[in-house]
Structure formats: C-alpha cells, structure tokens
Coordinates of all heavy atoms in Angstrom, one line a residue:
M793 N 200.2 65.7 186.0 CA 199.6 67.0 185.8 C 199.8 67.8 187.0 O 199.6 67.3 188.1 CB 198.2 66.8 185.4 CG 197.5 68.1 185.1 SD 195.9 68.1 184.3 CE 194.9 67.6 185.7
V794 N 200.2 69.1 186.9 CA 200.3 70.0 188.0 C 199.3 71.0 187.9 O 199.0 71.6 186.8 CB 201.7 70.7 187.9 CG1 201.9 71.7 188.9 CG2 202.8 69.6 187.9
E795 N 198.6 71.3 189.0 CA 197.6 72.3 189.0 C 198.2 73.6 189.5 O 199.0 73.7 190.5 CB 196.4 71.9 189.9 CG 195.7 70.7 189.4 CD 194.4 70.4 190.2 OE1 193.9 71.3 190.9 OE2 193.9 69.3 190.1
V796 N 197.8 74.7 188.8 CA 198.3 76.1 189.2 C 197.1 77.0 189.1 O 196.1 76.7 188.4 CB 199.4 76.6 188.3 CG1 200.6 75.7 188.4 CG2 198.9 76.6 186.8
P797 N 197.1 78.1 189.8 CA 196.0 79.1 189.7 C 195.9 79.6 188.3 O 196.9 79.9 187.6 CB 196.5 80.2 190.6 CG 197.4 79.6 191.6 CD 198.1 78.5 190.8
L798 N 194.7 79.7 187.8 CA 194.5 80.1 186.4 C 195.1 81.4 186.1 O 195.7 81.6 185.0 CB 193.0 80.1 186.1 CG 192.6 80.5 184.7 CD1 193.1 79.4 183.7 CD2 191.0 80.5 184.6
G799 N 195.0 82.4 187.0 CA 195.6 83.7 186.8 C 197.1 83.7 186.6 O 197.6 84.7 186.1
D800 N 197.8 82.6 187.1 CA 199.2 82.6 186.9 C 199.6 82.1 185.5 O 200.7 82.4 185.1 CB 199.8 81.5 187.9 CG 199.8 82.1 189.3 OD1 199.4 83.2 189.6 OD2 200.2 81.3 190.2
V801 N 198.7 81.5 184.8 CA 199.0 81.0 183.4 C 198.1 81.5 182.3 O 198.3 81.2 181.2 CB 199.0 79.5 183.4 CG1 200.1 78.9 184.4 CG2 197.6 78.9 183.8
A802 N 197.2 82.3 182.6 CA 196.2 82.8 181.6 C 195.9 84.3 181.8 O 195.9 84.8 183.0 CB 195.0 82.0 181.6
T803 N 195.5 84.9 180.8 CA 195.0 86.3 180.9 C 193.6 86.3 180.3 O 193.3 85.4 179.5 CB 195.9 87.3 180.0 OG1 195.9 86.9 178.7 CG2 197.3 87.4 180.6
R804 N 192.8 87.2 180.7 CA 191.4 87.3 180.3 C 191.2 88.6 179.6 O 191.6 89.7 180.2 CB 190.5 87.1 181.5 CG 189.0 87.2 181.1 CD 188.2 87.0 182.4 NE 188.4 88.0 183.4 CZ 187.8 89.1 183.6 NH1 186.8 89.4 182.7 NH2 188.1 89.9 184.5
D805 N 190.6 88.6 178.5 CA 190.3 89.9 177.8 C 188.8 90.2 178.0 O 188.0 89.3 177.7 CB 190.6 89.8 176.3 CG 192.1 89.6 176.0 OD1 192.9 90.2 176.8 OD2 192.4 88.9 175.0
S806 N 188.5 91.3 178.6 CA 187.1 91.7 178.8 C 186.6 92.5 177.6 O 187.4 93.2 177.0 CB 187.0 92.6 180.0 OG 187.4 91.8 181.2
G807 N 185.4 92.3 177.3 CA 184.8 93.0 176.2 C 183.3 93.0 176.3 O 182.7 92.5 177.3
R808 N 182.6 93.6 175.3 CA 181.2 93.6 175.3 C 180.7 92.2 174.9 O 181.2 91.6 174.0 CB 180.7 94.7 174.4 CG 181.1 96.0 174.9 CD 180.5 97.1 174.0 NE 180.9 98.4 174.5 CZ 180.0 99.3 175.0 NH1 178.8 99.0 175.1 NH2 180.5 100.4 175.5
A809 N 179.6 91.8 175.5 CA 179.0 90.5 175.1 C 178.1 90.8 173.9 O 177.5 91.8 173.7 CB 178.1 90.0 176.3
F810 N 178.0 89.7 173.1 CA 177.1 89.8 171.9 C 175.7 89.5 172.4 O 175.5 88.8 173.4 CB 177.5 88.7 170.9 CG 178.9 89.0 170.3 CD1 180.0 88.3 170.7 CD2 179.0 90.0 169.3 CE1 181.2 88.6 170.1 CE2 180.2 90.2 168.7 CZ 181.3 89.5 169.1
S811 N 174.8 90.1 171.7 CA 173.4 89.9 172.0 C 172.8 88.7 171.4 O 171.5 88.5 171.4 CB 172.6 91.1 171.7 OG 172.6 91.4 170.3
S812 N 173.6 87.8 170.8 CA 173.1 86.6 170.1 C 173.9 85.4 170.6 O 175.0 85.6 171.2 CB 173.2 86.8 168.6 OG 174.5 86.9 168.2
I813 N 173.3 84.3 170.3 CA 174.0 83.0 170.7 C 174.4 82.4 169.4 O 173.6 82.2 168.5 CB 173.1 82.1 171.5 CG1 172.7 82.7 172.8 CG2 173.7 80.7 171.7 CD1 171.7 82.0 173.6
D814 N 175.7 82.1 169.2 CA 176.2 81.4 168.0 C 175.7 80.0 168.0 O 175.8 79.3 169.1 CB 177.7 81.5 167.9 CG 178.3 82.8 167.7 OD1 177.5 83.7 167.1 OD2 179.4 83.1 168.1
R815 N 175.3 79.5 166.9 CA 174.8 78.1 166.7 C 175.4 77.5 165.4 O 175.5 78.2 164.5 CB 173.3 78.0 166.8 CG 172.7 78.4 168.1 CD 171.2 78.2 168.1 NE 170.6 78.7 169.3 CZ 170.5 77.9 170.4 NH1 171.0 76.7 170.4 NH2 170.0 78.4 171.5
R816 N 175.6 76.2 165.5 CA 176.0 75.5 164.3 C 175.1 74.2 164.3 O 175.2 73.5 165.3 CB 177.5 75.2 164.3 CG 177.9 74.5 163.0 CD 179.4 74.3 163.0 NE 180.1 75.6 163.0 CZ 181.2 75.9 163.7 NH1 181.7 74.9 164.4 NH2 181.7 77.1 163.7
N817 N 174.4 74.0 163.3 CA 173.5 72.8 163.2 C 172.6 72.8 164.5 O 172.3 71.7 165.0 CB 174.3 71.5 163.1 CG 175.1 71.5 161.8 OD1 174.6 72.0 160.8 ND2 176.2 70.9 161.8
G818 N 172.1 73.9 164.9 CA 171.2 74.0 166.0 C 171.8 73.9 167.4 O 171.1 73.9 168.4
R819 N 173.1 73.7 167.5 CA 173.8 73.6 168.8 C 174.5 74.8 169.1 O 175.1 75.5 168.2 CB 174.7 72.4 168.8 CG 173.9 71.1 168.6 CD 174.9 69.9 168.6 NE 175.5 69.9 169.9 CZ 175.8 68.8 170.6 NH1 175.5 67.7 170.1 NH2 176.3 68.9 171.8
R820 N 174.6 75.2 170.4 CA 175.4 76.4 170.8 C 176.8 76.2 170.5 O 177.4 75.1 170.7 CB 175.2 76.7 172.3 CG 173.9 77.3 172.6 CD 173.9 77.6 174.1 NE 172.6 78.2 174.4 CZ 172.3 78.7 175.6 NH1 173.2 78.7 176.5 NH2 171.1 79.2 175.8
V821 N 177.5 77.2 170.1 CA 178.9 77.2 169.8 C 179.7 78.3 170.6 O 179.2 79.4 170.6 CB 179.2 77.4 168.3 CG1 180.7 77.4 168.0 CG2 178.5 76.3 167.5
I822 N 180.8 77.9 171.2 CA 181.7 78.9 171.8 C 183.1 78.7 171.2 O 183.4 77.6 170.8 CB 181.7 78.8 173.3 CG1 182.4 77.5 173.8 CG2 180.4 79.0 174.0 CD1 182.8 77.5 175.3
T823 N 183.8 79.7 171.2 CA 185.2 79.7 170.6 C 186.2 80.0 171.8 O 186.0 80.9 172.5 CB 185.4 80.7 169.5 OG1 184.4 80.4 168.5 CG2 186.8 80.6 168.9
V824 N 187.1 79.1 171.9 CA 188.2 79.3 172.9 C 189.5 79.2 172.2 O 189.8 78.4 171.4 CB 188.1 78.1 174.0 CG1 189.3 78.3 174.9 CG2 186.8 78.1 174.7
G825 N 190.3 80.2 172.4 CA 191.6 80.3 171.8 C 192.7 80.3 172.8 O 192.5 80.5 174.0
M826 N 193.9 80.1 172.3 CA 195.1 80.1 173.2 C 196.3 80.5 172.4 O 196.4 80.2 171.2 CB 195.3 78.8 173.9 CG 195.7 77.7 173.0 SD 196.0 76.2 174.0 CE 196.5 75.1 172.7
N827 N 197.2 81.1 173.1 CA 198.6 81.4 172.7 C 199.5 80.7 173.7 O 199.5 81.1 174.9 CB 198.9 82.8 172.6 CG 198.1 83.5 171.5 OD1 198.0 83.0 170.4 ND2 197.5 84.6 171.8
V828 N 200.3 79.7 173.3 CA 201.2 79.0 174.2 C 202.6 79.6 174.0 O 203.1 79.7 173.0 CB 201.2 77.5 173.8 CG1 202.1 76.7 174.7 CG2 199.8 76.9 173.9
E829 N 203.2 79.9 175.2 CA 204.5 80.3 175.2 C 205.3 79.4 176.2 O 204.9 79.3 177.3 CB 204.6 81.8 175.7 CG 204.0 82.7 174.7 CD 204.1 84.2 175.1 OE1 205.0 84.5 175.9 OE2 203.4 85.0 174.6
P830 N 206.4 78.9 175.8 CA 207.0 78.9 174.4 C 206.1 78.1 173.5 O 205.5 77.1 173.9 CB 208.4 78.4 174.6 CG 208.3 77.4 175.8 CD 207.2 78.0 176.7
A831 N 206.2 78.4 172.2 CA 205.4 77.7 171.2 C 205.7 76.3 171.1 O 204.9 75.4 170.8 CB 205.6 78.4 169.8
S832 N 207.0 75.9 171.5 CA 207.4 74.5 171.5 C 206.6 73.7 172.5 O 206.6 72.4 172.4 CB 208.9 74.4 171.8 OG 209.2 74.9 173.1
A833 N 205.9 74.3 173.4 CA 205.1 73.5 174.4 C 203.7 73.2 173.9 O 202.9 72.6 174.6 CB 205.1 74.3 175.7
T834 N 203.3 73.7 172.8 CA 202.0 73.6 172.3 C 201.5 72.1 172.2 O 200.4 71.8 172.6 CB 201.8 74.2 170.9 OG1 202.2 75.6 171.0 CG2 200.4 74.1 170.3
G835 N 202.4 71.2 171.8 CA 202.0 69.8 171.7 C 201.7 69.2 173.1 O 200.7 68.5 173.2
R836 N 202.5 69.6 174.1 CA 202.2 69.1 175.4 C 200.9 69.6 176.0 O 200.2 68.9 176.6 CB 203.4 69.5 176.4 CG 204.6 68.7 176.1 CD 205.7 68.9 177.3 NE 205.6 70.1 177.9 CZ 206.5 71.1 177.7 NH1 207.5 71.0 176.9 NH2 206.4 72.2 178.4
V837 N 200.7 70.9 175.7 CA 199.4 71.5 176.2 C 198.2 70.8 175.5 O 197.2 70.5 176.2 CB 199.4 73.0 175.9 CG1 198.0 73.6 176.2 CG2 200.5 73.7 176.7
L838 N 198.3 70.7 174.2 CA 197.2 70.0 173.5 C 197.0 68.6 174.0 O 195.9 68.1 174.1 CB 197.4 70.1 172.0 CG 197.2 71.4 171.4 CD1 197.6 71.4 169.9 CD2 195.7 71.9 171.5
A839 N 198.1 67.9 174.2 CA 198.0 66.5 174.7 C 197.3 66.4 176.0 O 196.4 65.6 176.3 CB 199.4 65.8 174.8
D840 N 197.6 67.4 176.9 CA 196.9 67.4 178.2 C 195.4 67.8 178.1 O 194.6 67.2 178.7 CB 197.6 68.4 179.1 CG 197.1 68.3 180.6 OD1 197.0 67.1 181.0 OD2 196.8 69.3 181.2
I841 N 195.1 68.7 177.2 CA 193.7 69.1 176.9 C 193.0 67.9 176.4 O 191.9 67.6 176.9 CB 193.6 70.3 176.0 CG1 194.1 71.5 176.6 CG2 192.2 70.4 175.4 CD1 194.3 72.7 175.7
R842 N 193.5 67.2 175.4 CA 192.8 66.0 174.9 C 192.8 64.9 175.9 O 191.7 64.2 175.9 CB 193.6 65.5 173.6 CG 193.4 66.4 172.4 CD 194.1 65.8 171.2 NE 193.8 66.6 170.1 CZ 194.8 67.2 169.3 NH1 196.1 67.0 169.7 NH2 194.5 68.0 168.3
G843 N 193.8 64.6 176.6 CA 193.9 63.5 177.5 C 193.2 63.7 178.9 O 192.7 62.7 179.5
A844 N 193.1 64.9 179.4 CA 192.6 65.1 180.7 C 191.4 66.1 180.8 O 190.4 65.7 181.4 CB 193.7 65.6 181.6
V845 N 191.6 67.2 180.2 CA 190.5 68.2 180.3 C 189.3 67.9 179.6 O 188.2 67.9 180.1 CB 191.1 69.6 179.8 CG1 190.0 70.7 179.8 CG2 192.3 70.0 180.6
L846 N 189.4 67.5 178.3 CA 188.2 67.3 177.5 C 187.4 66.1 178.0 O 186.2 66.1 178.1 CB 188.5 67.2 176.0 CG 189.0 68.5 175.4 CD1 189.4 68.3 173.9 CD2 187.9 69.6 175.5
P847 N 188.0 65.0 178.4 CA 187.3 63.8 178.9 C 186.5 64.2 180.2 O 185.4 63.7 180.4 CB 188.3 62.8 179.2 CG 189.4 63.1 178.2 CD 189.4 64.6 178.1
R848 N 187.1 65.0 181.1 CA 186.4 65.4 182.3 C 185.2 66.3 181.9 O 184.1 66.2 182.5 CB 187.3 66.2 183.2 CG 188.3 65.3 184.0 CD 189.0 66.0 185.1 NE 189.6 67.3 184.6 CZ 190.8 67.7 184.9 NH1 191.6 66.9 185.7 NH2 191.3 68.8 184.4
L849 N 185.4 67.2 180.9 CA 184.3 68.1 180.5 C 183.1 67.2 179.9 O 182.0 67.5 180.2 CB 184.7 69.1 179.5 CG 185.5 70.3 180.0 CD1 186.1 71.1 178.9 CD2 184.6 71.1 181.0
R850 N 183.5 66.2 179.1 CA 182.5 65.4 178.5 C 181.7 64.6 179.6 O 180.5 64.4 179.5 CB 183.0 64.4 177.5 CG 182.0 63.5 176.9 CD 182.4 62.7 175.7 NE 182.3 63.6 174.6 CZ 182.9 63.3 173.4 NH1 183.7 62.3 173.3 NH2 182.7 64.1 172.4
A851 N 182.5 64.2 180.7 CA 181.8 63.4 181.8 C 180.8 64.3 182.5 O 179.8 63.9 182.9 CB 182.9 62.9 182.7
D852 N 181.2 65.6 182.7 CA 180.3 66.6 183.4 C 179.2 67.1 182.5 O 178.1 67.4 183.0 CB 181.1 67.8 183.8 CG 182.1 67.4 185.0 OD1 181.9 66.4 185.6 OD2 183.0 68.2 185.2
F853 N 179.4 67.1 181.2 CA 178.4 67.6 180.2 C 178.2 66.6 179.1 O 178.8 66.8 178.0 CB 178.9 69.0 179.7 CG 179.1 70.0 180.7 CD1 180.4 70.2 181.2 CD2 178.1 70.7 181.3 CE1 180.7 71.2 182.2 CE2 178.3 71.6 182.3 CZ 179.6 71.8 182.8
P854 N 177.4 65.6 179.3 CA 177.2 64.6 178.3 C 176.7 65.2 177.0 O 175.9 66.1 177.0 CB 176.2 63.6 178.9 CG 176.3 63.8 180.3 CD 176.7 65.2 180.5
G855 N 177.2 64.8 175.9 CA 176.8 65.3 174.6 C 177.7 66.5 174.1 O 177.5 66.9 173.0
L856 N 178.6 66.9 175.0 CA 179.6 67.9 174.6 C 180.4 67.4 173.4 O 180.9 66.3 173.4 CB 180.4 68.3 175.8 CG 181.5 69.3 175.5 CD1 180.9 70.7 175.4 CD2 182.6 69.3 176.6
T857 N 180.6 68.3 172.4 CA 181.5 68.0 171.3 C 182.4 69.1 171.1 O 182.2 70.2 171.6 CB 180.7 67.7 170.0 OG1 180.0 68.9 169.7 CG2 179.8 66.5 170.1
W858 N 183.5 68.9 170.4 CA 184.5 69.9 170.2 C 185.3 69.6 168.9 O 185.3 68.5 168.4 CB 185.5 70.1 171.3 CG 186.2 68.8 171.6 CD1 187.4 68.3 171.0 CD2 185.9 67.8 172.6 NE1 187.7 67.1 171.5 CE2 186.9 66.8 172.5 CE3 184.9 67.7 173.5 CZ2 186.8 65.7 173.3 CZ3 184.9 66.6 174.4 CH2 185.8 65.6 174.3
T859 N 185.8 70.7 168.3 CA 186.7 70.5 167.2 C 187.9 71.5 167.4 O 187.8 72.5 168.1 CB 186.0 70.9 165.8 OG1 185.6 72.3 165.9 CG2 184.9 70.0 165.5
F860 N 189.0 71.1 166.8 CA 190.2 72.0 166.8 C 190.2 72.7 165.5 O 190.2 72.0 164.4 CB 191.5 71.2 167.1 CG 191.5 70.7 168.5 CD1 191.1 69.5 168.8 CD2 192.0 71.5 169.5 CE1 191.2 69.0 170.1 CE2 192.1 71.1 170.8 CZ 191.7 69.8 171.1
Q861 N 190.4 74.0 165.4 CA 190.4 74.7 164.2 C 191.7 75.4 164.1 O 192.6 75.3 164.9 CB 189.2 75.7 164.2 CG 187.9 75.1 164.2 CD 187.6 74.1 163.1 OE1 187.9 74.5 161.9 NE2 187.1 73.0 163.4
G862 N 191.9 76.3 163.1 CA 193.1 77.0 162.9 C 194.3 76.1 162.5 O 194.1 75.2 161.7
I863 N 195.4 76.4 163.1 CA 196.6 75.6 162.8 C 196.4 74.1 163.1 O 196.9 73.3 162.3 CB 197.8 76.2 163.6 CG1 198.1 77.6 163.2 CG2 199.0 75.3 163.5 CD1 199.2 78.3 164.0
Q864 N 195.7 73.8 164.2 CA 195.5 72.4 164.4 C 194.7 71.7 163.3 O 195.0 70.5 163.0 CB 194.8 72.2 165.8 CG 195.6 72.5 167.0 CD 196.9 71.6 167.0 OE1 196.8 70.4 166.9 NE2 198.0 72.2 167.0
A865 N 193.7 72.3 162.8 CA 193.0 71.8 161.7 C 193.9 71.6 160.4 O 193.8 70.6 159.7 CB 191.8 72.7 161.3
E866 N 194.7 72.6 160.2 CA 195.6 72.5 159.1 C 196.6 71.3 159.2 O 196.9 70.6 158.3 CB 196.4 73.8 158.9 CG 195.5 75.0 158.5 CD 196.3 76.3 158.5 OE1 197.5 76.3 158.7 OE2 195.6 77.3 158.5
I867 N 197.1 71.1 160.4 CA 198.0 70.0 160.7 C 197.3 68.7 160.5 O 197.8 67.8 159.9 CB 198.6 70.1 162.1 CG1 199.5 71.3 162.2 CG2 199.3 68.8 162.5 CD1 200.0 71.6 163.6
R868 N 196.1 68.6 161.0 CA 195.3 67.4 160.8 C 195.0 67.1 159.4 O 195.2 65.9 158.9 CB 193.9 67.5 161.6 CG 193.0 66.3 161.5 CD 191.8 66.5 162.3 NE 191.0 67.6 161.9 CZ 190.7 68.7 162.6 NH1 191.1 68.8 163.8 NH2 190.0 69.7 162.1
E869 N 194.7 68.1 158.6 CA 194.4 67.9 157.1 C 195.7 67.5 156.4 O 195.7 66.6 155.6 CB 193.9 69.2 156.5 CG 192.4 69.5 157.0 CD 192.0 70.8 156.5 OE1 192.7 71.5 155.7 OE2 190.9 71.2 157.0
S870 N 196.8 68.1 156.8 CA 198.1 67.7 156.1 C 198.5 66.3 156.5 O 198.9 65.5 155.6 CB 199.2 68.7 156.6 OG 198.9 70.0 156.2
T871 N 198.3 65.9 157.7 CA 198.6 64.5 158.1 C 197.7 63.5 157.4 O 198.2 62.5 157.0 CB 198.4 64.4 159.7 OG1 199.3 65.4 160.3 CG2 198.8 63.0 160.1
Q872 N 196.5 63.8 157.3 CA 195.5 62.9 156.6 C 195.9 62.8 155.1 O 195.8 61.7 154.5 CB 194.1 63.4 156.7 CG 193.5 63.2 158.1 CD 192.2 63.8 158.3 OE1 191.7 64.6 157.4 NE2 191.5 63.5 159.4
A873 N 196.4 63.9 154.5 CA 196.8 63.8 153.1 C 198.0 62.9 152.9 O 198.2 62.4 151.8 CB 197.1 65.2 152.6
L874 N 198.9 62.7 153.9 CA 200.0 61.9 153.8 C 199.6 60.4 153.7 O 200.1 59.5 153.2 CB 201.0 62.1 154.9 CG 201.6 63.5 155.0 CD1 202.5 63.6 156.3 CD2 202.5 63.7 153.8

C-alpha cells in the first residue's frame, strides 16, 4: 500500500450541515461515496478498503459496522443469485 496526501487523490464538497443525525436501528449512520477514476481500478480500491482501511477503523472504533450500497450491493445480490 502506498500513502499519498488525501488532497492529491480526493476532492471535498462543502455544503450546509443537516440539523439532524441520521440513525438506523438506533445507531448513527453516515454515508461515504466515491468515484474511482479510472473505473477499472474500482476493484483494487475496494479490496484495499476491505483489507486495510476497514479493519483499522474497527480496531480504533469497536462496534463499528458498515455496508456497501449502490452498485456494490447490486453486484453482491447478483453474485448470490448465481
């Protein structure tokens, strides 16, 4: 894994904050999205997130859970159907 400054590989969109906290089943929920360029690198990016980033976050924040939605959820459902 190679570390690079976040500003070199990501952009941040500023906006107004909501005055409420999103919850699902009583737990706080945040949504994080990404657009990977080139799109062919999406698999590598997700593999790194699953293999390195999420385990470190769980170690730092016990009880943390996550789900992949959107296209990833569709791929998962299609694969399970096979």
Side-chain angles (χ1 to χ4, degrees):
M793 180 168 75
V794 176
E795 293 188 21
V796 297
L798 184 59
D800 288 354
V801 295
T803 58
R804 180 179 59 93
D805 294 326
S806 297
R808 295 181 181 249
F810 293 102
S811 59
S812 65
I813 297 173
D814 291 332
R815 294 185 183 275
R816 185 174 299 140
N817 297 325
R819 297 183 62 142
R820 285 186 182 187
V821 176
I822 64 165
T823 301
V824 176
M826 69 177 181
N827 292 314
V828 178
E829 292 184 22
S832 60
T834 302
R836 287 194 329 257
V837 171
L838 286 172
D840 191 44
I841 289 171
R842 287 185 178 119
V845 176
L846 293 175
R848 283 191 309 226
L849 284 172
R850 180 171 275 163
D852 291 342
F853 304 98
L856 177 73
T857 60
W858 57 84
T859 60
F860 290 93
Q861 299 298 316
I863 293 173
Q864 287 304 305
E866 293 171 14
I867 291 170
R868 182 177 59 241
E869 290 172 9
S870 296
T871 303
Q872 288 173 348
L874 295 174

